[in-house]
Every structure is written in structure tokens, then in C-alpha cells.
Amino acid sequence: MIETQPQKKIKRKIIKIDEELCTGCGQCVIACAEGALAIIDGKAKVVNEVFCDGLGACIGDCPEGALEIIECEAAQFDEVAVEKHLESLKEKEVNQPTPTMSHSHQCSCPSSATIVYENPYETSEGSDEIASALRQWPTKLTLVNPTAPYFNNKELVIVSDCAPMAFGDFHRKIMRGRPLVTVCPMLGLGEYELQKLEEILKSNPIEHVEVILMEVSCCQKFRIFLDPILSTVNRPIIVEETIVAIDGSILKKSKI
């Protein structure tokens, strides 16, 4: 960790974490661009007050509401110290002896452990009960392990978080037991996620990708990120895009 000189404390805004509510999922750690947060002993903690700018970009990513901005006596935010701190984190990542496996453990989240449901998916056409087509866990791009066995497949479905909420028959008509990753192109697609998606496509025999996006403009920008990644893969990958309307209808399907 970067050593910082003791600073006189001033009254300013800073993040506060309720450890009783915190589950250690690590979403706030990923959202903090300054590296001010870390999972320590299973809980999110501020590693150094000088790294926290007090703007609260991490708050919206906490699923438990464990984070809040308070005003109190705290060391002044130090941009120079932040730059040095981030550089040290990058060096540690480069020197990580098993970088691939670090993907699945970065968040220290118990629920991110890889699970594969071996029983094949069977359609439930004509049945009142729709069977789950999920054959893996986790699904969130931030949490998946790029070398998980369920990615050893010719197909991959990339789904915007909102699409399954809008399309009522998502399991039978789209998922169908295929491996998938979920992501929000607007709020949950940073450099870490993009590097992980690139590794998934490069490390596995994927030949066909279906991208399921919502009609909203913020969802459409996913193409801007996907095209450069595909250009780094040394084999042809067929990409199909399905656009789901807010009312749940399918607006269009096309190859891209």
C-alpha cells in the first residue's frame, strides 16, 4: 500500500460503510475509481481517507444500501496519492501469478463461486410451469470466471441486465440452457469487465454470440465496446443482435 504523509484533518464529505449491512460482495470496490475501498476480512473498508473524494460514485453499486456519504473530520483528498496508489494496484495485478483465477475471487464474494448445473435443459412448451433454463452460476460479467467450464461451448449469450425483466419468455425463447453473461452497458461496463469479456472470447471455443439489448439508447453503446474486442480474436465469431422493446416485444433480430 502507498505510504501517505499524515495530514491535518478537515471537515469534508467522505464515504461511511455500515459493516452490519455489508456482505462483502465487492461491487463498491469495483465502482471506486480511486481505489479507496477494499474487501478486508469479508467487509468493505476505506483503506485510506486521502483516497476517497467523497463524491459517492460507489453508493449506487451497493445492493445492501450499506454505503452513505457523511460530513466529518477526515484527511483531505489527495489526487497525487491516488495516482500512486492506483499505479501500485496495477503493478500488483501484472505480477499476479494466476491472473485468470483472480477474476473469480476479486470481490471475495461467496456467491461468486462457479456452479454448473449438469442436467440438460428441457423445454416446457405446453406446460403451465416454465422450467428455469439457467445452467450456471454466477451470470454477472463482473463475477464470472473466464475459464469456467460452462464457457467451453460454441455459443455465448450476452444480455443487458434489463432484458430478462422486459421479455417474459426469456428462459424458453432466448436462454435455452446456453451459457451467458449479464451486464449493464451504461452502469456496469468498465475496463475490468471488458478485459474479462475479451478473455472469455479468446480462451473458449465460442463461434456464435447472441447479444440481447434493450431499445434504450444507453444500451445500444455496447456495440462500441464489443467490436474492438472481436477484432482481437483470431477466429471468426458470428454475432447476432436482438433488440427488446420496453413493452417486452422483440423489435428486431439481425446479424452484426
Side-chain angles (χ1 to χ4, degrees):
M1 185 181 296
I2 296 297
E3 295 291 334
T4 56
Q5 296 297 322
Q7 291 191 9
K8 180 180 178 181
K9 294 196 173 187
I10 61 172
K11 192 170 185 179
R12 72 177 184 94
K13 292 181 178 180
I14 194 169
I15 199 74
K16 178 184 177 182
I17 302 167
D18 186 330
E19 292 195 5
E20 290 188 5
L21 294 177
C22 177
T23 62
C25 73
Q27 292 298 316
C28 59
V29 177
I30 297 168
C32 180
E34 292 74 30
L37 303 175
I39 301 299
I40 302 174
D41 297 328
K43 299 288 183 179
K45 298 183 185 295
V46 177
V47 295
N48 195 317
E49 291 180 350
V50 301
F51 300 152
C52 179
D53 59 12
L55 297 179
C58 54
I59 291 179
D61 288 75
C62 178
E64 306 299 330
L67 280 65
E68 65 174 323
I69 293 293
I70 64 169
E71 191 166 340
C72 66
E73 295 288 327
Q76 189 169 358
F77 174 62
D78 188 335
E79 290 188 21
V80 175
V82 167
E83 290 180 5
K84 293 180 179 179
H85 173 54
L86 293 177
E87 190 62 35
S88 72
L89 293 178
K90 288 181 181 179
E91 290 177 2
K92 288 180 181 179
E93 185 175 344
V94 169
N95 296 324
Q96 175 68 251
T98 54
T100 298
M101 289 306 295
S102 70
H103 283 300
S104 61
H105 300 291
Q106 175 170 334
C107 297
S108 301
C109 177
S111 65
S112 67
T114 299
I115 299 175
V116 181
Y117 302 104
E118 299 291 354
N119 54 313
Y121 170 67
E122 296 181 1
T123 60
S124 54
E125 298 290 347
S127 172
D128 291 336
E129 183 176 345
I130 299 176
S132 173
L134 184 64
R135 288 295 173 269
Q136 69 180 77
W137 188 263
T139 63
K140 194 74 172 176
L141 180 57
T142 302
L143 297 175
V144 298
N145 184 340
T147 62
Y150 47 76
F151 288 129
N152 185 22
N153 196 293
K154 292 184 178 182
E155 290 188 280
L156 176 67
V157 183
I158 303 174
V159 187
S160 67
D161 288 344
C162 298
M165 304 300 104
F167 188 65
D169 212 358
F170 179 81
H171 281 247
R172 287 194 296 191
K173 298 298 174 62
I174 293 179
M175 189 188 300
R176 304 197 308 276
R178 297 182 293 173
L180 81 161
V181 291
T182 60
V183 66
C184 176
M186 179 65 181
L187 301 176
L189 198 60
E191 183 178 355
Y192 173 72
E193 285 78 18
L194 293 173
Q195 289 176 347
K196 183 174 284 193
L197 180 58
E198 181 175 346
E199 185 173 349
I200 290 171
L201 293 174
K202 284 184 173 180
S203 304
N204 298 283
I206 298 168
E207 299 177 356
H208 178 264
V209 172
E210 185 169 358
V211 181
I212 315 297
L213 302 173
M214 294 297 296
E215 64 172 320
V216 293
S217 58
C218 57
C219 218
Q220 303 303 306
K221 74 173 187 176
F222 182 74
R223 286 280 307 280
I224 299 174
F225 301 113
L226 180 61
D227 290 346
I229 291 175
L230 291 172
S231 68
T232 68
V233 182
N234 295 323
R235 67 178 185 282
I237 295 180
I238 298 172
V239 181
E240 289 186 281
E241 182 182 72
T242 299
I243 303 298
V244 181
I246 295 175
D247 65 7
S249 61
I250 300 297
L251 289 183
K252 70 172 183 177
K253 287 190 174 186
S254 59
K255 288 187 177 181
I256 58 176

